[in-house]
């Protein structure tokens, strides 16, 4: 669906339409899209990781164990704390197709941390049908966050840690795969053997 605005004075109508559609979708999914307590919980966990470091015992888990017994109405959410890249997108599409073919379930894909504000509340506060695969890597390039005592890589790693912690604290199955630096798409393609 696409809407055409009839000038600046028409933006109110489009905003109303988008908010109404969001409310209806939230009702269908049994979540309140305007209240994101679990997104805030993940933010709080991120802040704690930035202050205290990664909590002891936050193990990666196993992709094979994560997918064991996966069946509808379950779904697999793939959450990539990775750089935006068309080769990564293509490899993820192949991985998702392999999961769909073997397990017959829906899959989702999002780049982190931005998915936290689109599907993050559904993941943690919606029906407990999801299984969550977090893909992370060690970036070769890094920059300091202006005015903060940490870098962007540290911040992204903390967001990944905070989200993984939050998912697991809600009893949701979640595993992390750390991809080697370099050929990320190739490393993702290699994961198909584990589905």
């Amino acid at each position: 669906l696409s809407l055409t605005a009839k000038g600046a004075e028409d933006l109110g109508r489009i905003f109303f339409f988008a908010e109404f559609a969001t409310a209806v979708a939230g009702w269908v999914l049994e979540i309140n899209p305007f209240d994101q307590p679990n997104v805030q919980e993940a933010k709080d966990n991120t802040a704690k990781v930035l202050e205290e470091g990664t909590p002891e015992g936050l193990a990666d888990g196993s992709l094979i164990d994560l997918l064991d017994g996966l069946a509808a109405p379950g779904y697999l959410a793939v959450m990539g704390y990775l750089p935006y890249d068309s080769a990564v997108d293509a490899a993820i599409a192949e991985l998702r197709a392999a999961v769909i073919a073997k397990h017959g379930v829906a899959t989702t894909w999002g780049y982190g941390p931005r998915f936290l504000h689109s599907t993050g509340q559904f993941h943690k506060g919606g029906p407990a049908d999801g299984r969550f695969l977090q893909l992370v890597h060690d970036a070769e390039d890094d920059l300091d966050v202006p005015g903060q005592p940490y870098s962007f890589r540290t911040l992204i790693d903390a967001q990944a840690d905070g989200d993984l912690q939050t998912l697991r604290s809600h009893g949701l199955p979640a595993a992390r795969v750390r991809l080697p630096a370099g050929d990320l798409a190739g490393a993702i393609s290699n994961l198909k053997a584990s589905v």
Side-chain angles (χ1 to χ4, degrees):
L1 173 69
S2 54
L3 297 173
T4 303
K6 299 174 179 116
E9 64 277 357
D10 193 33
L11 287 178
R13 176 184 67 90
I14 292 175
F15 279 124
F16 175 78
F17 178 82
E19 292 286 329
F20 190 79
T22 301
V24 170
W27 175 76
V28 169
L29 295 171
E30 300 177 2
I31 61 169
N32 179 350
F34 305 106
D35 180 22
Q36 300 181 321
N38 305 114
V39 171
Q40 186 59 49
E41 181 182 358
K43 288 180 182 180
D44 294 343
N45 284 336
T46 296
K48 191 172 181 181
V49 169
L50 286 170
E51 289 176 16
E52 301 173 9
T54 300
E56 282 190 42
L58 190 63
D60 288 346
S62 158
L63 176 57
I64 293 171
D65 291 345
L66 180 70
L67 298 178
D68 185 39
L70 176 61
Y75 68 94
L76 177 68
V78 182
M79 307 168 300
Y81 289 85
L82 306 171
Y84 302 118
D85 184 83
S86 59
V88 166
D89 288 335
I92 291 290
E94 291 174 7
L95 176 64
R96 292 174 66 194
V99 170
I100 291 166
K102 181 165 183 184
H103 299 279
V105 298
T107 64
T108 65
W109 157 243
Y111 280 104
R114 78 176 186 190
F115 76 83
L116 294 171
H117 293 283
S118 57
T119 56
Q121 180 59 40
F122 179 72
H123 290 168
K124 294 175 271 301
D129 295 326
R131 298 194 186 189
F132 304 91
L133 173 61
Q134 197 179 76
L135 301 177
V136 298
H137 82 297
D138 293 320
E140 296 168 356
D141 297 327
D142 200 4
L143 295 170
D144 290 334
V145 175
Q148 299 296 332
Y150 46 81
S151 69
F152 280 102
R153 180 78 257 150
T154 300
L155 175 60
I156 290 170
D157 287 346
Q159 288 173 314
D161 285 350
D163 196 43
L164 188 63
Q165 236 183 320
T166 305
L167 288 164
R168 289 178 176 168
S169 74
H170 288 273
L172 298 168
R176 171 187 292 166
V177 173
R178 187 168 299 277
L179 304 172
D183 182 15
L184 295 177
I188 293 165
S189 292
N190 291 338
L191 294 177
K192 289 187 296 186
S194 300
V195 303

